[in-house]
Every structure is written in structure tokens, then in C-alpha cells.
Amino acid sequence: MVSEDKSGQFNRGLRAFRSGDYQTAVELLSDAVEYEEQNDRAWNALGTACAKIGRYEDADLCFENALTLAPDNPIYVKNRKTNVKHLKNPPLFSEKSGKTGLFDHIPFDKIPIDKPLVLIGIGAGLIIIIVLTLFGVLSLFSAPAAQQGPGIVLSVNQSGTDIILLNEGGREIKSVSSFSWKVNDIPIGSGKPDDPGTLSVTSGSIAVAPLSSLTSTNLSAGLRVMVIATNKDGSSSVVLSTTLPPPAPGTIPIQPVTPVATPTHPPNLPLFKSGEIIQDTSSHMWWLIATTPVNDTYVVTHAARLPNGTFTSLDSTTTNISFISFEPDKISIGTRDSGGTPAGLSSVLPPPVIGIPATHPQPAYTSGDLINSAPTGDDGMMVILGYDPITDQYQADTISKYYTGEWGYRLNTTPKWFIRPILEQQLSHRPGRITMSDIGIGADSAPPRTPVKYVPGDIISPNPSGVEREIVIIGYNKTDDQYQIDTIASAYDGGWKMAGTPTWEKRVFVERNNPYKLRKIDLSLVRS
């Protein structure tokens, strides 16, 4: 027999069988027995897969081949005995060996040897039996052809600019509560009955996936279609997995691109006028256009915002600068008397402000306050990081929730400065608070005070049934907050086998993408 590590199709067939994809298992195991006809385990596995999709006649041939190679294997005997019950014309069956030996059932001691004509008839019958047996032996070494099982019958094809999925019924279709499907890993349909992309459990129903919804994927590599059936008992399994040829170039819709008009200005005409406040989008510095531009030149001075939202010149120094040098990366945010837009500088220091009244109201918020324009809701939530009483400004930043629903993390370490009365007026609600030490930096930071969820030996998956994949935790690095993981699958003999390509990944990604722990195993017993 060919060992597991040399029989690639055999191992892939077993993985497909364990995932519930019996049709694919039949195809892979058929290749395995054609590659090595003496592999009794492959014949037995192929028979079991054929039986799962209702091909009992083919399954009987496979079990008979397995018993021919390993006549004393009790598992093969039991499998064939179970399968014989489903045959329309079951053969004579030996409980001990699992074989259907006709000669063992012929009463040779009762043959009338004194009657020549009877002997001739018996001889002719034996010759016919021998000839039929020879034909049967020759057929043993031809793997049964792969065909669609009668349980759940689906078909998929490309028609024009659409991919059509057809429900053709099947004897097990009544056990299905819903279907979900993907093309090139893109989910199709919302699951709602009136959605054209949703496949109904009613025989004859269709679902449509426009090619235009897949243009973000590599269509030149083909169209990988996977359909998962969710049964009424809560279990799920892959009922169709196939790849369609790449669509013809003419069938791929070209997304219309709306041209963005580029503003143009007559030469030698200024973009900005006297009294406008200009912000440098690269440095976030404010400038005041001090006088009317003349001779292709601006007269500018640094500007600062007052607590009431208006602007003033920061000092009496002015600078002359040409239109062509000043205008790039500059935008107008209003006039010196209209206040401009809120938001501050990217510096960790508050922007300079002059003209603050000697006394002003105390700040309404303190560090750690979560503030918003509405009493509830997550959109636009900000966290107060500090307050500078000299300039009467808050230091704050946008905050987002972790995947666990907890607050929260900032995208980066750069805070923003806001004039106190403007911020308190625009964000007048305080839905909650957060401890400053619990604020993370970046979406890949771990939620605050969350313990490590998994330990070495845990087998985890994106879904509770492990249909798509199973991952085993090999180790955890506390310093880097990373898991060492590898894909794993159950071996045919009941053990476990890893893919042998372990990787390190951020804990937050592993726990977020694989929320289900299926079981725990002893890593010392796992083969790689």
C-alpha cells in the first residue's frame, strides 16, 4: 500500500469526506485507487463515500475489492454488510468473510453423478458462472465514475453576465432549511426571500450572481463556487464545490467611471481674497490674507483662533509670497470674523490663542469622558484626553469600539485640539467614560483587560461545525501578544494531523476570526 504521505489524493479525499463533501470525496478517492489498486484502505473509503451519496452498487464493488486485498479486516466486513441492505438484488453474503462466494453455497454432496445430462447442465452453468466472475474481477479495478448524488442536487453555470445556481431537488432536500453560497469568496445574496441572490430550498428555484459584483476578484483564475446547506437540525455541510472557467472578456461589465471635474482658474487671478483664513493641509498651519492681493502676490500673516471661534493675526509680521508658491496645498476655511471650521492642529501642543478673557467657565468634561452629539449611538464618538486652561482648549480624539463591543481604541497617537466652547456646543452629550489606560492604539490592539482566550491544544474554527477550516493553537507569545497556529484535520485512523506550516498571528485577529472552540487535544499525539 502507498503510505498516507505519498498518496495525496487519498488524504485529500479523506479531508473532503470528513467535511461532508461526499461528492468531492468520491472523485478524489477514485483517483487514489486508480493510482494504487492495492490500497485496501482507499477502496474501503471510496465505498463508504459512494454509500453516503446513494451509490450502493458502486459501494458494494469497492467493499468487495477491499476484502479481496484484506479479507480478515472486520471493518470492511461490517461496512459491506451494512451496504448490502440497500441493494435491490443483494448477493449471497458470508457473515464471516464478507464475501459473496457462490461456490460456498452449492451442495456438491447432492450432485447426481449417475445422471449424465444433469452433469452436463451443471457443467455448463459452472462455465457461465466462471465467465461472469472473470468479468466481475476485471471490473473491480475500475473506480466507479463520479456522479451527482441523489441527496441534494445543485447545478451552476455562467450565462451571459450572470452566474446561475439551480436547485434541482433531491431526496434529502426536505431536511434543508436554507442555502448560502459564495463565488470567489464573495458572499452572494442577503438570505431574504425577495433577493435574487438567495437560493430557495424549493426544487426548481434559482439564484443569480451578477459578474459585476465580482470585479474586485481575480476573474481570470476562474469562478470558485461553494454552496453550504444549513439543515433543520442546525448542522451544515458543503453540498457543492466547483470552479467554472474564467468568463469571456466581453461578458465582464465595465464599471462606469464618473469623471471628476478639475477646477481651473484664469491665469493671474488669486484663489483667495483679503480677510480669508487659509489652512495649510500638510502642516495644518493657519494663515490670514492681510490685504487685497496685487501683482500676483499675497500679503499673509500667521493666524490664531480665539475662544469665540473668530480669528486674529498672531503677530504683526507679514510676508509677501507669490500666488504660484502659496496656493498649492491650501484651502479656505472661512473669514476672520466667521469662525471657520472646528478641529485643531496635529501637534501634541495646543495651538497658540490670544485674546482669551481673564475669566471663563470651567470645562464641562474631564479626561476619559466619551462625548457625542447625541445621547446614544457610536458614530462620531470622541474621548477627552486632556484640557489646557491657559488656552481654554480640549485635547481629544475619535474613538472606536473593539470587535467585542467594548470601548475602545484610537487609530493613532496623534491627538487633536478644540476650542472648549465650540466642542461643548457641538458635542453636548456624555454617553459614558473610559479609563485612560484602557484606550488602545490601532484596530489590532487587544481589548482592555481581556484574558488570553485559547491555550495550546485548543482546536478553533470560524463556525461551530468546523465546516470551512479547523485551526490548532500551538503556543502563545505574551511579549508580542501572538498565537502560533496551524491548520489541522482528523486522520483516518481517528488521530489528528497538522499541515506542518505553523505561523504566528496577532491574538486579536485569531480570536476575532475564530470565535468557536471545538475541542482540546494532546499536541504530543498529533502528527505533522
Side-chain angles (χ1 to χ4, degrees), residues 363-382:
Y365 302 134
T366 185
S367 297
D369 283 349
L370 300 177
I371 60 175
N372 205 331
S373 59
T376 59
D378 301 338
D379 293 338
M381 189 71 73
M382 299 195 73

Side-chain angles (χ1 to χ4, degrees), residues 297-497:
T297 302
Y298 291 110
V299 179
V300 299
T301 183
H302 287 293
R305 196 201 309 260
L306 300 175
N308 63 6
T310 62
F311 287 83
T312 185
S313 58
L314 183 60
D315 51 47
S316 59
T317 303
T318 59
T319 302
N320 296 331
I321 186 170
S322 67
F323 293 172
I324 193 171
S325 298
F326 180 76
E327 290 176 352
D329 301 323
K330 304 295 193 304
I331 58 173
S332 174
I333 60 174
T335 63
R336 63 186 303 169
D337 298 323
S338 63
T341 61
L345 306 176
S346 60
S347 170
V348 296
L349 298 176
V353 176
I354 63 175
I356 299 176
T359 60
H360 54 78
Q362 294 298 312
Y365 302 134
T366 185
S367 297
D369 283 349
L370 300 177
I371 60 175
N372 205 331
S373 59
T376 59
D378 301 338
D379 293 338
M381 189 71 73
M382 299 195 73
V383 59
I384 299 295
L385 303 176
Y387 171 73
D388 179 43
I390 298 178
T391 60
D392 193 28
Q393 296 183 85
Y394 284 113
Q395 189 185 59
D397 200 358
T398 303
I399 190 169
S400 303
K401 281 187 175 181
Y402 284 105
Y403 66 94
T404 58
E406 301 174 86
W407 297 102
Y409 65 87
R410 298 162 54 197
L411 291 179
N412 52 55
T413 58
T414 303
K416 300 177 180 66
W417 289 93
F418 300 88
I419 297 298
R420 178 190 56 77
I422 296 177
L423 185 70
E424 291 177 354
Q425 179 183 10
Q426 294 181 347
L427 304 177
S428 58
H429 296 277
R430 180 172 52 193
R433 283 184 51 78
I434 185 174
T435 302
M436 296 293 290
S437 60
D438 286 347
I439 301 175
I441 302 298
D444 59 347
S445 59
R449 299 186 301 278
T450 54
V452 177
K453 186 175 181 179
Y454 301 128
V455 297
D458 285 348
I459 294 181
I460 59 178
S461 178
N463 49 68
S465 60
V467 170
E468 293 187 14
R469 62 171 179 171
E470 292 180 330
I471 292 175
V472 62
I473 300 295
I474 302 174
Y476 172 71
N477 186 316
K478 183 177 181 181
T479 302
D480 298 332
D481 195 29
Q482 292 184 332
Y483 286 115
Q484 187 180 33
I485 61 174
D486 198 356
T487 55
I488 193 170
S490 55
Y492 182 73
D493 58 3
W496 294 91
K497 184 176 181 181

Side-chain angles (χ1 to χ4, degrees), residues 30 75-76 109 127 140 142-143 174 177 194 223 232 281 287 296 299 306 359 389 391 398 498:
S30 296
I75 295 177
Y76 304 167
D109 57 334
I127 292 173
L140 290 179
S142 297
K174 293 182 179 179
S177 61
D194 56 350
L223 302 168
K232 296 178 180 179
T281 58
W287 296 89
D296 297 343
V299 179
L306 300 175
T359 60
T391 60
T398 303
M498 288 192 294

